[in-house]
Amino acid sequence: MAGMGLTWLALMVLVGATLPAVVRGLLPPLPRRNTGISPQAVVVVGAGRRRQNGQFSLTTRGLRRLQLAASLANEHGLPLLVSGGINQAPQADGEPTEAALMAEQVRRRWPALEVIEEGQSRNTWQNAVNSAELLAARGVDEIILVSDRTHLPRALLCFQSQGVLAQAAWQKRLPKQAWRPSAGALSMVPEIWYEWLALVWYHLRYL
């Protein structure tokens, strides 16, 4: 009987993890929203690189973030700062940083858009620290920050710790049908648990 009860419990958890309404409730909360911000730039943080047949490219998540960020920068006539270094050290000669890959994509589609590259970061904290230095040199301290909804709470806290006021922007991934099972909702669950753990670690180490 106990085994059957555990089986039903596991089934209920699995079903719950496919429901957008349930998954939405698991998301780490966004920090209190800053009001009265007049963004002077758009910043997008990378989501990693991938290598195939000796060539580097952006991940699907990274491309999704970049698409939104570039569209916002183009729409509002703002410069776009792309932030991301390399996944692992050391960097081989000629190996492109994530920022360089993002900048290449943007310049190909939006050639008139001003792009600022920050290619030294290896984690979210460094994204914020290094980007804040580049922004400060331009007199910028109010931005639109683009990432995934799961990652934005941590990213916002890191940028705010550097004195940068940020509005969050992300592409919606959860379906509107809150109680209809969704593979997309299920795919977000590992990201959510990772971000909860990362938030604890960042509070202990950085924030």
Side-chain angles (χ1 to χ4, degrees):
M1 294 295 292
M4 184 176 296
L6 289 174
T7 300
W8 276 106
L9 178 60
L11 181 61
M12 290 174 63
V13 170
L14 180 60
V15 171
T18 69
L19 300 176
V22 174
V23 174
R24 190 173 287 112
L26 298 174
L27 287 165
L30 294 169
R32 180 180 298 179
R33 183 175 181 180
N34 292 308
T35 58
I37 291 180
S38 299
Q40 303 153 292
V42 178
V43 176
V44 58
V45 293
R49 307 172 306 165
R50 57 189 175 191
R51 186 172 186 174
Q52 187 174 12
N53 299 325
Q55 298 295 319
F56 287 95
S57 62
L58 299 173
T59 63
T60 301
R61 289 173 64 190
L63 285 169
R64 185 169 57 232
R65 295 180 188 182
L66 183 62
Q67 170 72 32
L68 175 59
S71 296
L72 288 171
N74 185 62
E75 176 184 349
H76 296 288
L78 298 173
L80 173 63
L81 190 154
V82 292
S83 178
I86 58 175
N87 302 85
Q88 297 176 339
Q91 180 180 5
D93 291 339
E95 183 178 333
T97 65
E98 191 173 1
L101 293 171
M102 289 192 284
E104 180 184 3
Q105 290 282 337
V106 172
R107 292 180 178 126
R108 186 180 304 160
R109 182 167 179 182
W110 293 275
L113 198 61
E114 180 184 0
V115 182
I116 307 163
E117 294 183 40
E118 185 290 294
Q120 300 300 314
S121 301
R122 292 178 182 163
N123 59 34
T124 304
W125 178 255
Q126 292 179 9
N127 286 141
V129 172
N130 296 338
S131 296
E133 291 180 359
L134 293 176
L135 293 170
R138 292 168 170 260
V140 173
D141 60 3
E142 299 183 0
I143 65 169
I144 299 173
L145 180 62
V146 178
S147 186
D148 292 331
R149 172 59 182 84
T150 50
H151 178 246
L152 272 167
R154 179 159 55 107
L156 285 167
L157 288 172
C158 289
F159 274 82
Q160 289 174 4
S161 73
Q162 302 303 309
V164 178
L165 300 179
Q167 291 180 355
W170 68 95
Q171 284 191 337
K172 306 296 188 295
R173 292 170 57 191
L174 288 171
K176 293 182 179 180
Q177 294 82 0
W179 298 102
R180 179 181 296 178
S182 163
L186 181 62
S187 70
M188 288 180 65
V189 173
E191 297 176 30
I192 292 171
W193 292 126
Y194 175 88
E195 285 301 327
W196 275 111
L197 293 172
L199 277 169
V200 172
W201 172 245
Y202 268 54
H203 275 289
L204 292 173
R205 182 171 184 182
Y206 299 121
L207 301 172

